[in-house]
Amino acid sequence: MTGHRPRMPAGGVAGALLFGAIVLFCCAAPVLSPYDPHRPDLARALLPVSGEHWLGTDQLGRDLLTRTAEAGRASLLLAFAVTAVTTSVGTVAGAVAGLVGGRPDRLLRLAATVALALPGLTLALALAGVLPPGPVTVLIALVPLGWVSCGLVVRATVLRTAASDHVLASRAMGASRLHLLRRTIVPHAIGPALTVATGDLAKTLVAATSLSFLGIGPPPPHVDWGGMVNEATALLVVTPRLAVVPAVALALASLGITLVTDALRAAHPAG
């Protein structure tokens, strides 16, 4: 009987297409648009939806479609950066804890206890409150506990792989821990780690947007989706689309990532 690759569920395909469309929109729209997303034009303030401005303009006369795309690019880049750091740290920490045990394993479990007891956004606000607003502050605020979930999954995968007959036989033949870590154990942990990273991307995107909404994100004139919603709160009753548009963009991006995460979890169940 010939084997075949399992097909990605329809939800995963839909999520990938949706998220890909959001990324394409955020990257292409500011480049193709004739409007400057940062330059005010008070003569065009709060224009309604039209053929010239597909989503209208904001309170300073900036094209809302272009500004939403520019803000989305900043939000996505920051979320990707934070997720890349947390995944890298979590993968290394989980691999070392699972293979070496002892003190590294105890430290990882302690970090997991702290992460469960202390809400991540609370810690992020505490750290960000003493640092100047900006992407680096958001990165510093979200990384300290953001790596723990990936570390725990990688640790469980490493423990399971290390107990397999192949690894036990290799160790009996004199293979070093470093060799087993690089050639056998870490490759088995990549799939679960990427699954966790995809889920963390959605959570990080929402968390970074929330911090920006609270005034900890990029300083003006730069903006992300959270900053756009923050700017629109004063006009929420008069012109709700100023807040609805970036909020919908965030929701669609998060939905796309979540659908992909569900498909990856079906292919690589977390240990």
Side-chain angles (χ1 to χ4, degrees), residues 186-212:
V186 169
H188 279 83
I190 289 177
L194 289 177
T195 301
V196 176
T198 308
D200 285 348
L201 178 61
K203 293 187 292 184
T204 300
L205 180 60
V206 174
T209 303
S210 301
L211 290 175
S212 182

Side-chain angles (χ1 to χ4, degrees), residues 71-231:
R73 183 161 57 180
S75 294
L76 292 172
L77 283 174
L78 182 57
F80 275 117
V82 173
T83 304
V85 174
T86 56
T87 301
S88 300
V89 174
T91 299
V92 173
V96 172
L99 187 63
V100 177
R103 181 174 294 178
D105 190 43
R106 290 194 296 270
L107 289 175
L108 176 59
R109 285 183 289 162
L110 176 61
T113 302
V114 173
L116 290 173
L118 183 64
L121 195 57
T122 302
L123 177 61
L125 287 172
L127 291 175
V130 298
L131 298 172
V136 175
T137 297
V138 176
L139 182 71
I140 295 173
L142 295 179
V143 165
L145 294 180
W147 61 272
V148 175
S149 59
C150 183
L152 291 175
V153 169
V154 171
R155 171 185 176 272
T157 304
V158 168
L159 288 174
R160 186 171 59 250
T161 306
S164 65
D165 293 338
H166 172 69
V167 173
L168 292 176
S170 298
R171 293 190 67 174
M173 295 175 63
S176 67
R177 285 179 173 176
L178 181 59
H179 175 81
L180 292 173
L181 190 67
R182 292 173 53 191
R183 294 300 181 89
T184 304
I185 296 176
V186 169
H188 279 83
I190 289 177
L194 289 177
T195 301
V196 176
T198 308
D200 285 348
L201 178 61
K203 293 187 292 184
T204 300
L205 180 60
V206 174
T209 303
S210 301
L211 290 175
S212 182
F213 173 76
L214 295 174
I216 303 172
H222 304 290
V223 71
D224 60 6
W225 285 330
M228 287 188 68
V229 176
N230 179 282
E231 291 177 352

